[in-house]
Amino acid sequence: MSTIATASIESSTQRRTLNRKRVYIFPTRHGVMLGAMMFVILLGSINYDNALGYLLAFLLFGLFLIGVLHTYRNLTGLSFTGAQAKPVFFGAAAAFNLSIDNSSSWERYSVDITHWPRTRRRWWRRRPATSNQFTATLPAAKLSTFTLKVIARQRGWLALERVRIASVFPLGILRSWGYFESDVKCLVYPRPSG
């Protein structure tokens, strides 16, 4: 039994880093409302030739562009250095210990880490359970370890597959996200009876 238990503890040593090609940015609901408001302000300024309206519209657009840069910077450069898991019984929560490295000189605030398996087909069906998601602050120049819990719904090997890391920092009008692929598996034993 000890050989099975030690075989189920796997660790991924390949380092995966979020670079500019792997960080996606899209406006949130509040960002779309801000964009519509900027468009209405700009349209009214053009119609009534209002200089202060132009100033407000371009000031808000500049704020939006600065928000894009800061939201992007909050995730880019983060590295996934690996994960580990111990065997569990069917129906219990498998604890995957994730290691995320922030090698930059600034902290990363309000980072959401979620288990995001590929079995879910459409993005609108991907409502993560609260047990699969948590928000963390990653300190500067430090390797952080987090525990991500996934419910074991079938026996055998439970693969972590993919972890989504997302953030709406600093303004909440833009959401940036990226994915870390992982080949770590956790062995799920049958539930003991009696």
Side-chain angles (χ1 to χ4, degrees):
M1 176 111 171
S2 63
T3 59
I4 295 174
T6 55
S8 65
I9 300 172
E10 295 183 10
S11 177
S12 175
T13 56
Q14 184 180 4
R15 186 180 187 92
R16 295 169 184 93
T17 304
L18 287 178
N19 56 14
R20 62 181 179 88
K21 294 180 181 179
R22 298 183 62 205
V23 175
Y24 309 102
I25 298 177
F26 202 75
T28 61
R29 212 176 287 166
H30 302 295
V32 170
M33 289 172 40
L34 177 68
M37 185 179 71
M38 286 188 299
F39 180 72
V40 168
I41 290 171
L42 184 63
L43 197 62
S45 300
I46 291 171
N47 189 30
Y48 293 109
D49 197 25
N50 189 348
L52 289 177
Y54 283 120
L55 179 68
L56 180 61
F58 293 131
L59 182 70
L60 288 175
F61 185 69
L63 180 71
F64 188 81
L65 290 179
I66 296 292
V68 168
L69 293 175
H70 282 278
T71 305
Y72 169 77
R73 190 187 82 164
N74 198 37
L75 287 188
T76 189
L78 290 178
S79 298
F80 177 73
T81 58
Q84 293 179 347
K86 292 186 178 178
V88 295
F89 291 111
F90 174 77
F96 289 95
N97 295 323
L98 309 175
S99 298
I100 298 177
D101 185 21
N102 179 13
S103 58
S104 65
S105 60
W106 57 83
E107 288 188 6
R108 312 299 177 104
Y109 299 100
S110 183
V111 175
D112 296 328
I113 301 169
T114 311
H115 177 239
W116 204 259
R118 290 188 175 277
T119 56
R120 299 179 184 170
R121 297 286 182 226
R122 303 281 181 212
W123 62 270
W124 58 81
R125 294 185 197 152
R126 293 185 181 187
R127 301 284 183 232
T130 55
S131 63
N132 293 354
Q133 177 179 9
F134 60 91
T135 304
T137 298
L138 303 174
K142 190 172 181 186
L143 179 69
S144 302
T145 304
F146 304 101
T147 302
L148 184 65
K149 296 189 178 184
V150 179
I151 304 297
R153 302 197 188 279
Q154 65 183 17
R155 297 179 314 215
W157 290 106
L158 174 65
L160 181 60
E161 293 179 11
R162 188 163 60 164
V163 175
R164 184 187 74 156
I165 185 164
S167 179
V168 293
F169 179 81
L171 301 174
I173 58 175
L174 296 159
R175 176 180 304 281
S176 63
W177 72 93
Y179 299 106
F180 291 127
E181 300 288 337
S182 177
D183 55 354
V184 175
K185 295 178 183 177
C186 175
L187 184 59
V188 180
Y189 292 118
R191 182 184 304 151
S193 61

